[in-house]
Amino acid sequence: MNMNILTKSLLASALVAGVFSLQAGDITGTITLKGTPPKERDIAPLKDDPTCGKMHSTTPTTRFYVVGGKGELADVVVSLDGVSGKSTGASAAPAVMDQKTCLYIPQIMAVQTGQKITIKNSDPVLHNVHSQPTVAGNGEENKAQMPNGPDLSFSFTKAEDFVKFKCDVHPWMFAWVSVFDHPYFAVSGADGTFKIANVPPGKYTLKAAHRKAGVVTKEIEVKDGAVSVELALDAK
Ligand SMILES: [Cu+2]
């Protein structure tokens, strides 16, 4: 190999390495809960309700901590903190929440600013969907929804953590929707895992927020493709 070919070869390798280092990466990880969470409470008014109660064979409980056998924690909203102005919500597929057996499913959800939130009513029961944002610019709305009635639509213009949704007909019905001004977030599943796809290279603060266990953050860097993160929250 003469020097010219060697130089070209090294240059090509450097270019390839450079291109790869600029690729977006996926942030994946697992959230676990440390300690023992408080016992969930029975929702007696739901079981006692003449219509809603019939849809449950046992008394439903609150779902504050959804934890697996090894501490895997669901319903944690994981996001890149401090990113803004990157929303693709207007063109994103709607996020869907259902009202089924007089409960919100899912109870914890995350969307982008401008993204449509579709709310279904799968129950043979009148619900009303009452959003209660607190950030200026996010309007409060209260819409009745007939039994098995047409879908409702909500959206928010400003980023806000855990916007509360409630049903005024059934006082045990709550859900929370976090709104981000970017697409870099995920909600942990029943196995505690999450995935935030296609994150541009860079240094970030990863934030994990749980309604009851609070917030933990971790500094991460996306540079050579995928990043794997383990996060733990304390039971409170
Ligand atoms: Cu309701």
Side-chain angles (χ1 to χ4, degrees):
M1 189 186 288
N2 67 36
M3 279 308 285
N4 194 28
I5 291 170
L6 179 62
T7 306
K8 279 179 179 166
S9 169
L10 285 171
L11 188 61
S13 301
L15 279 172
V16 167
V19 166
F20 274 115
S21 73
L22 291 173
Q23 275 189 338
D26 295 344
I27 303 170
T28 58
T30 307
I31 316 277
T32 51
L33 185 73
K34 288 187 291 186
T36 307
K39 195 176 184 308
E40 300 293 336
R41 294 198 296 272
D42 286 348
I43 310 175
L46 168 49
K47 189 69 185 112
D48 293 343
D49 184 276
T51 315
C52 296
K54 283 201 194 85
M55 295 187 268
H56 294 269
S57 55
T58 57
T59 304
T61 69
T62 53
R63 296 168 285 164
F64 295 131
Y65 285 94
V66 179
V67 194
K70 292 174 183 160
E72 311 94 320
L73 185 60
D75 290 344
V76 179
V77 180
V78 188
S79 65
L80 299 185
D81 203 22
V83 178
S84 64
K86 304 277 185 199
S87 181
T88 58
S91 59
V96 180
M97 182 181 289
D98 198 3
Q99 295 161 105
K100 204 168 186 180
T101 70
C102 298
L103 292 169
Y104 286 111
I105 298 167
Q107 189 172 36
I108 303 287
M109 205 161 81
V111 299
Q112 296 189 63
T113 50
Q115 184 176 2
K116 187 173 166 184
I117 302 166
T118 298
I119 303 210
K120 304 178 101 55
N121 183 4
S122 296
D123 287 334
V125 172
L126 169 79
H127 292 294
N128 81 303
V129 183
H130 187 173
S131 63
Q132 298 184 303
T134 59
V135 168
N138 285 340
E140 178 172 358
E141 292 188 280
N142 194 347
K143 302 174 184 176
Q145 194 171 26
M146 298 304 284
N148 301 113
D151 295 348
L152 297 177
S153 182
F154 288 76
S155 76
F156 298 99
T157 55
K158 302 290 182 189
E160 179 170 347
D161 286 347
F162 294 122
V163 176
K164 189 180 189 178
F165 280 68
K166 62 185 287 239
C167 175
D168 298 324
V169 183
H170 306 110
W172 59 81
M173 288 181 71
F174 293 103
W176 289 271
V177 179
S178 285
V179 186
F180 296 98
D181 199 22
H182 59 78
Y184 308 115
F185 58 82
V187 180
S188 65
D191 60 357
T193 65
F194 69 89
K195 177 179 175 178
I196 301 174
N198 280 318
V199 179
K203 291 182 176 176
Y204 300 100
T205 301
L206 189 69
K207 175 180 165 185
H210 183 269
R211 273 290 303 159
K212 293 290 177 182
V215 172
V216 293
T217 61
K218 187 165 191 169
E219 303 305 310
I220 59 160
E221 183 170 11
V222 176
K223 53 177 183 180
D224 299 317
V227 180
S228 180
V229 185
E230 305 295 315
L231 290 165
L233 285 149
D234 291 314
K236 282 176 186 149

